[in-house]
């Protein structure tokens, strides 16, 4: 989901066929006349019947108009059957977050309940049992809100996000669990099962997996295509969706904005085919917000909305999230599609049947709402949920470095400084906090006397021309105006928070509120608790001029959009003293008075303290989020300078990094004794942090993704081929700052010799690995024992290592527990592109057992009795997309309905390894499409190897009109790597080399 819904609903109708009209006319009087008692006896209200039987009964009672009306996010009531409204999509990523109000033009309504740590923090727990409990709490609170207002708080929850954290610069890094598909899949399964509840016939709430698929960039996200070769799609991107769906821990998918191999994911055929094959249950799939209209607008994939909406339904997506509350646009488009023969009523029935299946399972038509119908608002922010949030906040904290026993802290004098030391931030997908325990609050409760400073400059800005200072209001805030001629008045003073790359926020000293644009106008006010909303309007840049004065530049997120005036980004003082936007040439010049220095204040606070705790990090609405990727992983420049100053003043410095993504902490790793990472972890952050810092509990979090040393370690964010580009810990060839799975403890663990239930295994077998783990330290602790494999020999490029299983064990000092790790041989399968199937190869597997992907403590070997992949047989029709390597090609849509092809350009090539051409291959036959004539050369053993033949490719009219062409081959015999080298732009679907 991307945008809140705002527009009012405007219902629409269209005529149906004569047969349907007559049928409805005959049925309607009886249906409408049915009294309430009769409605209560309809079979669809009988919980003793099967879900399918109840759905069939209800579906048969609906008119076509009624069925079509259910395809939009806001499903209307059907009074004649006693059916109420149903709304899809309550956001519940790490707690119930927000929903939208059909009665108020789709305005956002924010929950005020339990906010758990961000998803990437839950990933750092490596604790499925804990995550299941959190899911259960979220499901209960969703029911609690629903009991109060079902029109707003629907029970289909759009969570969890299972997109893999392939690139840490992705703006939505905070929303995913991990870069690893298995860890992500298992945690998503736990969260989903918790949400659903344990009743086999009913759902507490209905989790939906986001976003299918390969959605890891926000830059031009609705126009870029994620190029997924089959191995990457099968072995990486599909896995975290498949695991929860196979385990009945999700009730559907949300399709993503991006294109995959040239086809918009909104119409992926996987929605109606592959995805549904993973589950024994009926799934209810939805689009992302506005995506159906994007098929016509930004993507220009279909000529009009009826064609696009028909394609969505036929692809297997059941519900349209679009046009805010105005369902009439979708309803009219679907009806037009029916009238034009683009859809049949059976297509509508299929989609509506999927929708009704989930509504039945939610207990909507059961007496009393089913087994979960008695849950009330009392569960929201309950003491039990607060305790669970406290536990989760502590368990997700990761100790990155601890030199010389810097941690845990003693109970002596502690100083707490930094811009995040005395605040807690929420993010786009969290609710508001019912209470706050900041890091300073938690440490002060634990340590008593604490010196503190936020370490930010307090400034005043004076209009050079008038000599008057900008002033804010008191109380809840007011419009900023120039007026005072002295900076001694608190209304003229603002605290400057540095978020990096020149972006700052200004917090009024008069009322503690953040400054931003007022109600989308040209004026500004100090009236917000924190930077917020879809278009963040509280960002500024202070641009120093050659003479030492400053221009105040407004940098709100809406300025990135073409509808915002790109020229008017600077602030000027108007005649009445208010501030307005203008061009750079028209901007007012301001002098900056530094009332107090943040670094000086922090240094004073930490000088003489037994330890200095510096809390730095991100503002989730600013430092990357949905619609905004990061271009750097570095800390804000001002925050880095603060750390250096504090470290110089106090050698016992502990840095707490509170953010949502890996950070390039190279200087800190070299110079600071201890570093702890936490996500924005909710109301209990301060209590949890204090318990870890002072050793009340030992840290147990492990990094769910690799922390790199530099952006130069990463390829372009749009490069999705993790195999070719050596992405993620699986293929990365360099040395990371902190490896995947890293996390220190206050105790030490010794790993004993692993034992295998068998030293060899068949392709369908299972091996159990047990490892004794001894706590050799003095504190009780939890250790995540991680099992990786590396295949010694393979037909294809294999990962350096790959996580297969893990076990989180609790070990008392001096005691030994046994970690149990289960490895199925089928988990070792690769996607064999030569035969389009999963294949377990015959090979020796190194079993690597350790405390992180780089800290391997034990090693053993397993013989896998798999198969040997035969040489390629190119005499059979071969998909061009099933290449082994490529250079300069893109995977594209073969047709608008299904299939992949490749699009080549001049000098691009495809490689097909180890092809057995026999005694001779006499010709090549290929299916090509394109708008211009070119060539495809067949070369052997290299892109510049001997030419075996040349295809003269004609222009076929357009990219979807394929033509079969042939060419003769010479000197093509024996075993070779076959290269297809493109002379220019064309599409290649399939080819074969035959005698």
């Amino acid at each position: 989901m991307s945008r809140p819904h705002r527009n009012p609903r405007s219902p629409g109708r269209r005529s149906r066929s004569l047969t349907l009209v007559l049928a409805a006319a005959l049925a309607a009087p009886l249906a409408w006349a049915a009294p309430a008692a009769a409605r209560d006896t309809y079979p669809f209200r009988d919980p003793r019947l099967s879900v399918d039987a109840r759905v069939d009964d209800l579906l048969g009672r609906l008119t076509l108009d009624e069925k079509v009306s259910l395809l939009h996010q806001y499903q209307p009531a059907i009074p004649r059957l006693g059916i109420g409204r149903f709304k899809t999509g309550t956001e519940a990523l790490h707690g119930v977050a927000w929903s939208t109000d059909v009665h108020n033009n789709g305005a956002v309504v924010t929950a005020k309940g339990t906010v758990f740590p961000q998803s990437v923090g839950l990933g750092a727990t490596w604790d499925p049992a804990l995550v299941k409990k959190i899911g259960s709490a979220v499901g209960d609170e969703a029911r609690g809100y629903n009991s109060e207002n079902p029109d707003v708080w629907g029970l289909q929850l759009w969570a969890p996000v299972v997109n893999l954290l392939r690139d840490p610069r992705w703006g939505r890094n905070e929303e995913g669990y991990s870069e690893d598909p298995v860890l992500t899949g298992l945690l998503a399964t736990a969260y989903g099962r918790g949400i659903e509840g344990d009743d086999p016939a009913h759902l507490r709430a209905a989790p939906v997996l986001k976003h299918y698929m390969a959605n890891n960039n926000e830059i031009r996200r609705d126009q870029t295509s994620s190029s997924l070769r089959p191995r990457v799609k099968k072995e990486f991107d599909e896995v975290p969706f498949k695991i929860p769906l196979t385990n009945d821990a999700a009730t559907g998918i949300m399709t993503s904005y991006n294109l995959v191999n040239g086809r918009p994911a909104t119409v992926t055929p996987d929605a109606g085919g592959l995805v549904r094959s993973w589950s024994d249950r009926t799934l209810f799939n939805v689009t992302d917000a506005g995506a159906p209209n994007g098929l016509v607008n930004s993507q220009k994939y279909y000529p009009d909305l009826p064609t696009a909406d028909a394609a969505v339904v036929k692809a297997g997506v059941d519900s349209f999230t679009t046009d805010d509350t105005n369902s009439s646009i979708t309803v009219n488009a679907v009806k037009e599609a029916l009238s034009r023969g683009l859809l049949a009523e059976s297509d509508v029935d299929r989609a509506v049947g999927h929708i009704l299946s989930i509504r039945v399972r939610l207990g909507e038509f059961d007496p009393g709402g089913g087994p979960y119908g008695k849950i009330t608002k009392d569960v929201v922010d309950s003491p039990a949920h607060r305790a669970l949030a406290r536990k989760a906040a502590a368990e997700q904290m990761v100790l990155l470095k601890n030199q010389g026993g810097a941690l845990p802290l003693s109970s002596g004098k502690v100083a707490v400084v930094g811009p995040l030391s005395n605040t807690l931030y929420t993010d786009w997908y969290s609710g508001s906090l019912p209470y706050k325990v900041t890091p300073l609050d938690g440490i002060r409760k634990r340590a008593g006397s604490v010196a503190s400073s936020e370490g930010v400059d307090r400034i005043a800005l004076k209009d050079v021309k008038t000599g008057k200072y900008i002033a804010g209001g008191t109380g809840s805030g007011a419009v900023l105006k120039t007026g005072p001629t002295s900076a001694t008045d608190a209304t003229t003073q603002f605290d400057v928070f540095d978020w990096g790359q020149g972006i700052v926020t200004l917090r009024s000293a008069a009322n503690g509120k953040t400054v931003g644009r007022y109600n989308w106008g040209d004026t500004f006010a100090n009236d917000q608790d924190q930077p917020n909303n879809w278009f963040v309007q509280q960002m500024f840049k202070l641009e120093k001029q050659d003479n030492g004065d400053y221009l105040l530049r407004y940098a709100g997120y809406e300025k990135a959009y073409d509808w915002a005036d790109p020229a008017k980004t600077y602030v000027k003082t108007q005649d009445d003293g208010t501030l307005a936007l203008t061009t750079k040439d028209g901007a007012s010049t301001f002098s900056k008075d530094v009332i107090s220095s943040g670094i000086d204040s922090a240094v004073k606070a930490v000088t003489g303290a037994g330890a200095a705790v510096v809390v730095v990090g991100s503002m989730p609405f600013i430092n990357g989020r949905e619609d905004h990727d990061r271009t750097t992983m570095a800390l804000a420049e001002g925050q880095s300078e603060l750390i250096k100053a504090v470290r110089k003043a106090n050698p016992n410095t502990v840095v707490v990094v509170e953010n949502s993504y890996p950070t390039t902490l190279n200087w800190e790793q070299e110079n600071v004794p201890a570093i702890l990472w936490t996500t924005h972890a909710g109301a209990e952050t301060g209590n949890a942090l204090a318990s870890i810092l002072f050793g009340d509990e030992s840290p147990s979090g492990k990094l769910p993704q690799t922390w790199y040393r530099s952006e130069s370690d990463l390829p372009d964010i749009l490069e999705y081929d993790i195999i070719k580009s050596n992405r993620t810990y699986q293929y990365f060839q360099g040395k990371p700052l902190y490896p995947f799975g890293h996390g220190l403890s206050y105790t030490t663990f010794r790993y004993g010799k692993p034992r295998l239930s068998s030293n060899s295994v068949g392709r369908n077998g299972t091996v159990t690995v047990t490892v004794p783990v001894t706590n050799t330290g003095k504190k009780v602790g939890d250790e995540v024992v991680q099992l990786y494999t590396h295949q010694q020999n393979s037909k294809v490029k294999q990962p350096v290592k790959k996580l297969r299983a893990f076990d989180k064990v609790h070990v008392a000092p001096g005691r030994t527990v046994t970690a149990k790790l289960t490895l199925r041989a089928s988990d070792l399968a690769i996607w064999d592109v030569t035969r389009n199937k999963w294949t377990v190869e015959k090979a020796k597997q190194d079993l690597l057992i350790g405390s992180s992907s780089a800290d391997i403590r034990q090693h053993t070997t397993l013989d896998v009795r798999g198969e040997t992949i035969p040489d390629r047989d190119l005499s059979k029709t071969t998909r061009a997309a099933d290449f082994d390597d490529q250079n300069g090609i893109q995977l594209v849509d073969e047709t608008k309905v299904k299939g992949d092809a490749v699009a080549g350009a001049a000098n691009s090539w495809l490689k097909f390894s180890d092809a057995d051409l026999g005694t001779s291959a006499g010709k090549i036959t290929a299916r090509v499409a394109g708008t211009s004539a070119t060539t495809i050369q067949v070369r052997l053993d290299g892109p510049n190897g001997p030419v075996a033949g040349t295809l003269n490719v004609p222009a076929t009219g357009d990219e979807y009109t394929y033509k079969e062409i042939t060419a003769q081959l010479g000197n093509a015999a024996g075993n070779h790597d076959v290269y297809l080298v493109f002379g220019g732009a064309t599409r290649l679907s399939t080819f074969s080399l035959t005698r």
Side-chain angles (χ1 to χ4, degrees):
M1 176 76 173
S2 67
R3 294 288 306 279
H5 305 302
R6 297 187 183 282
N7 296 336
R9 170 180 296 178
S10 176
R13 302 178 59 88
R14 80 160 183 87
S15 298
R16 292 172 287 161
S17 68
L18 179 61
T19 301
L20 290 170
V21 171
L22 289 173
L26 290 171
L30 293 175
W32 279 102
R39 293 199 300 267
D40 290 343
T41 63
Y42 288 149
F44 73 82
R45 295 191 178 279
D46 187 349
R48 295 170 299 179
L49 298 179
S50 69
V51 172
D52 287 346
R54 298 173 73 182
V55 169
D56 288 345
D57 176 69
L58 178 51
L59 193 62
R61 297 179 186 278
L62 298 174
T63 67
L64 181 57
D65 277 353
E66 289 168 340
K67 288 184 286 192
V68 171
S69 75
L70 300 181
L71 296 177
H72 191 263
Q73 177 186 20
Y74 291 91
Q75 299 174 27
I78 304 174
R80 68 183 186 84
L81 295 176
I83 296 173
R85 291 186 183 88
F86 184 89
K87 177 194 170 292
T88 70
T90 293
E91 299 291 355
L93 188 59
H94 52 109
V96 179
W98 54 266
S99 190
T100 52
D101 188 354
V102 67
H103 303 295
N104 190 20
N105 297 333
V108 169
V109 181
T110 303
K112 195 171 186 177
T114 310
V115 177
F116 293 96
Q118 292 176 306
S119 294
V120 67
L122 297 182
T125 69
W126 290 59
D127 191 341
L130 173 66
V131 173
K132 184 180 179 183
K133 291 178 182 177
I134 292 170
S136 179
V138 174
D140 277 346
E141 294 203 7
R143 277 280 175 175
Y145 279 106
N146 177 263
S147 71
E148 182 181 66
N149 190 341
D151 284 353
V152 170
W153 301 103
L155 291 174
Q156 187 197 54
L157 307 186
W158 287 348
V161 169
V162 298
N163 297 110
L164 296 167
L165 304 183
R166 172 190 61 94
D167 192 309
R169 296 167 298 188
W170 183 35
R172 304 182 77 166
N173 197 84
E174 66 197 30
E175 296 183 36
Y177 291 122
S178 170
E179 72 184 51
D180 182 77
V182 170
L183 178 57
T184 297
L186 293 176
L187 294 177
T189 297
Y191 193 68
R193 280 181 171 172
I195 287 172
E196 289 182 351
D198 296 323
D199 188 295
H202 292 85
L203 296 165
R204 174 166 33 208
V208 172
L209 304 177
K210 301 197 303 186
H211 312 81
Y212 193 89
M213 63 178 323
N215 177 201
N216 280 131
N217 62 276
E218 299 304 292
I219 178 174
R220 303 188 309 278
R221 60 180 177 167
D222 60 334
Q223 299 171 54
T224 56
S225 179
S226 304
S227 194
L228 296 185
R229 62 196 287 187
R231 278 194 66 200
V232 173
K233 184 174 186 285
K234 292 292 183 181
E235 298 174 22
F236 189 68
D237 286 287
E238 285 180 5
V239 175
F241 291 91
K242 184 177 182 179
I243 291 174
L245 286 168
T246 300
N247 287 282
D248 191 24
T251 61
I253 61 166
M254 173 187 283
T255 55
S256 55
Y257 284 121
N258 56 292
L259 298 88
V260 176
N261 295 351
R263 181 181 298 107
T266 307
V267 289
T268 174
D270 289 358
L274 180 66
V275 169
R276 294 187 189 276
S277 75
W278 294 333
S279 178
D280 294 330
R281 297 276 200 171
T282 298
L283 303 180
F284 172 11
N285 299 329
V286 303
T287 75
D288 209 334
N293 293 359
L295 292 167
V296 178
N297 298 328
S298 63
Q299 293 169 340
K300 296 180 171 52
Y301 201 70
Y302 295 108
D304 54 45
L305 199 56
T307 306
D309 284 3
V312 171
V313 174
K314 281 187 168 293
V317 181
D318 308 309
S319 180
F320 292 78
T321 313
T322 189
D323 300 305
D324 301 325
T325 61
N326 185 3
S327 62
S328 68
I329 296 173
T330 294
V331 168
N332 290 336
V334 171
K335 289 182 177 181
E336 178 64 21
L338 286 164
S339 71
R340 286 161 50 180
L342 301 173
L343 279 178
E345 185 171 1
S346 59
D347 296 318
V348 175
D349 286 351
R350 182 177 60 254
V352 174
H354 298 156
I355 294 168
L356 295 178
S357 177
I358 300 303
R359 292 180 67 169
V360 168
R361 290 178 63 196
L362 284 168
E364 179 181 347
F365 309 124
D366 286 13
Y372 299 109
K374 293 182 175 63
I375 297 175
T376 67
K377 189 76 177 293
D378 294 341
V379 300
V380 175
D381 189 35
S382 66
H385 290 180
R386 288 189 175 192
L388 184 61
R390 161 69 180 74
K391 176 176 173 59
E395 198 167 326
Q396 56 90 50
M397 293 181 180
V398 181
L399 183 59
L400 298 175
K401 179 184 179 182
N402 192 21
Q403 180 180 323
L407 289 176
L409 299 173
S410 67
S411 56
K413 183 183 177 184
V414 176
V416 182
V417 300
L420 279 81
S421 62
N422 197 29
T423 190
L424 294 179
Y425 290 123
T426 56
D427 61 48
W428 178 245
Y429 284 104
S430 67
S432 60
L433 301 176
Y435 63 99
K436 294 180 180 181
V437 183
T438 69
L440 177 60
D441 293 335
I443 293 171
R444 185 172 280 152
K445 284 195 294 183
R446 181 62 177 75
S449 175
V450 173
S452 67
S453 165
E454 288 181 297
V456 297
D457 288 348
R458 177 164 290 186
I459 67 169
L461 293 172
K462 180 173 65 176
D463 186 330
V464 172
K465 182 178 179 180
T466 66
K468 296 179 178 180
Y469 287 87
I470 297 174
T474 57
S476 60
V479 172
L480 267 62
K481 298 178 68 173
T482 58
T485 56
S486 170
T488 58
D489 190 330
T491 61
T492 67
Q493 299 175 11
F494 299 91
D495 297 322
V496 184
F497 288 80
D498 179 9
W499 303 115
Q501 299 178 289
I503 296 292
V504 301
T505 53
L506 304 173
R507 187 186 66 191
S508 171
N511 65 352
K513 300 286 188 178
T514 301
V515 172
R517 283 177 75 188
Y518 177 73
N519 198 28
W520 284 88
D522 278 347
T523 55
F524 295 85
N526 57 319
D527 61 350
Q528 298 298 306
D529 290 334
Q530 68 166 53
N532 62 82
N533 221 315
W534 180 258
F535 294 113
V536 182
Q537 300 178 69
Q538 295 86 27
M539 299 188 292
F540 297 89
K541 290 186 176 182
L542 286 164
E543 296 185 351
K544 191 171 185 178
Q545 304 302 293
D546 292 341
N547 66 357
D549 292 330
Y550 291 82
L551 300 183
L552 182 59
R553 183 175 181 179
Y554 171 63
Y557 268 161
E558 75 274 14
K559 287 299 179 183
Y561 288 79
D562 55 10
W563 50 262
D565 187 341
K568 292 186 175 182
T569 56
Y570 288 83
V571 174
K572 70 174 180 180
T573 302
Q574 301 190 105
D575 291 342
D576 64 355
T578 60
L579 307 179
L581 291 178
T582 186
T583 63
K584 185 174 184 178
D585 290 341
S588 296
T589 302
F590 298 94
S591 63
K592 184 177 76 170
D593 295 355
V594 179
I595 308 302
S596 60
S597 162
I599 286 181
D600 290 350
S601 173
V603 166
K604 180 180 179 181
V606 304
T607 299
V613 178
V614 190
V615 189
V616 295
S618 71
M619 201 289 124
F621 279 81
I622 292 175
N623 294 114
R625 47 156 287 197
E626 184 174 0
D627 210 32
H628 295 277
D629 291 319
R630 280 175 294 278
T631 57
T632 178
M633 294 179 287
L635 283 174
E637 296 83 353
Q639 295 184 19
S640 293
E641 292 304 312
L642 175 67
I643 293 171
K644 292 173 181 177
V646 169
R647 172 66 180 84
K648 184 177 181 180
N650 191 321
N652 301 319
T653 293
V654 176
V655 171
V656 176
V657 180
E658 185 178 345
N659 68 11
S660 320
Y661 48 86
T663 309
T664 48
L665 302 173
N666 297 296
W667 187 91
E668 290 77 9
Q669 174 62 22
E670 289 295 322
N671 294 281
V672 173
I675 308 172
L676 184 77
W677 177 64
T678 175
T679 64
H680 297 279
E684 288 288 337
T685 298
N687 286 332
L689 179 62
S691 71
I692 296 294
L693 291 177
F694 287 95
D696 299 333
E697 51 192 304
S698 183
S700 64
K702 299 283 187 176
L703 292 179
Q705 61 188 133
T706 306
W707 284 42
Y708 299 95
R709 296 178 182 273
S710 168
E711 287 81 14
S712 64
D713 289 333
L714 298 168
D716 188 274
I717 195 170
L718 297 177
E719 174 55 78
Y720 275 79
D721 188 344
I722 68 163
I723 298 174
K724 186 175 179 65
S725 62
N726 295 324
R727 271 190 181 277
T728 79
Y729 81 92
Q730 291 188 38
Y731 294 96
F732 184 56
Q733 303 294 317
K735 183 179 180 181
L737 179 64
Y738 305 116
F740 173 80
H742 171 73
L744 304 177
S745 174
Y746 291 155
T747 189
T748 53
F749 300 97
R750 183 178 67 242
Y751 286 48
K753 184 177 180 180
R755 293 187 177 183
L756 277 61
S757 59
S758 175
N759 291 321
S760 68
V761 65
R763 69 183 72 176
N764 295 313
T766 299
V767 173
T768 301
V769 183
T770 53
V771 186
V773 179
T774 303
N775 186 337
T776 55
K778 298 180 179 180
K779 283 183 172 290
V780 66
D782 291 344
E783 172 71 339
V784 180
V785 181
Q786 303 162 40
L787 170 63
Y788 299 86
T789 65
H790 171 72
Q791 189 166 314
Q792 292 183 7
N793 55 290
S794 177
K795 187 81 167 181
V796 298
K797 181 179 179 179
Q798 285 279 349
V800 175
K801 58 176 66 77
K802 191 170 184 178
L803 181 71
R804 301 298 184 180
F806 58 90
D807 189 13
K808 192 164 192 174
V809 294
H810 185 74
V811 196
R815 303 299 296 270
T816 299
V817 301
T818 299
K820 183 177 180 181
L821 305 156
T822 301
L823 176 63
R824 297 179 303 178
S826 59
D827 293 338
L828 304 172
I830 62 168
W831 184 255
D832 177 14
V833 294
T834 71
R835 296 174 294 173
N836 282 292
K837 70 171 190 175
W838 289 103
T839 301
V840 177
E841 289 186 285
K842 179 182 178 180
K844 287 188 179 296
Q845 292 278 353
D846 294 321
L847 303 189
L848 311 170
I849 303 160
S851 187
S852 81
S853 61
D855 183 8
I856 301 301
R857 308 286 184 86
Q858 292 289 345
H859 168 276
T860 188
T861 304
L862 176 69
D863 278 321
V864 179
R865 303 188 305 275
E867 63 174 317
T868 300
I869 298 175
D871 290 340
R872 272 191 182 270
D873 182 0
L874 295 181
S875 68
K876 297 178 179 178
T877 299
T878 300
R879 294 194 325 153
D882 289 329
F883 54 80
D884 291 295
D885 197 4
Q886 60 83 21
N887 182 63
I889 70 97
Q890 287 291 316
L891 283 152
V892 294
D893 50 338
E894 183 177 19
T895 73
K896 289 193 174 185
V897 176
K898 63 180 181 180
D900 294 332
V902 300
N907 301 315
S908 63
W909 50 259
L910 298 170
K911 177 185 178 182
F912 298 86
S913 302
D914 299 323
D916 183 1
L917 304 182
T919 56
S920 68
K923 66 177 181 179
I924 178 172
T925 302
R927 289 184 73 243
V928 297
T931 59
S932 59
T934 186
T935 61
I936 299 176
Q937 290 183 330
V938 182
R939 290 180 177 264
L940 303 180
D941 302 322
N944 297 311
V947 177
T950 301
L951 283 163
N952 291 311
V953 179
T956 65
D958 66 55
E959 57 194 6
Y960 298 115
T961 300
Y962 286 87
K963 183 176 181 179
E964 188 173 283
I965 60 173
T966 62
Q968 296 301 308
L969 300 176
N971 301 316
N975 191 281
H976 293 277
D977 293 340
V978 173
Y979 286 77
L980 301 181
V981 182
F982 291 76
T986 192
R987 290 191 175 200
L988 176 63
S989 169
T990 61
F991 72 98
S992 60
L993 307 182
T994 57
R995 292 189 178 91

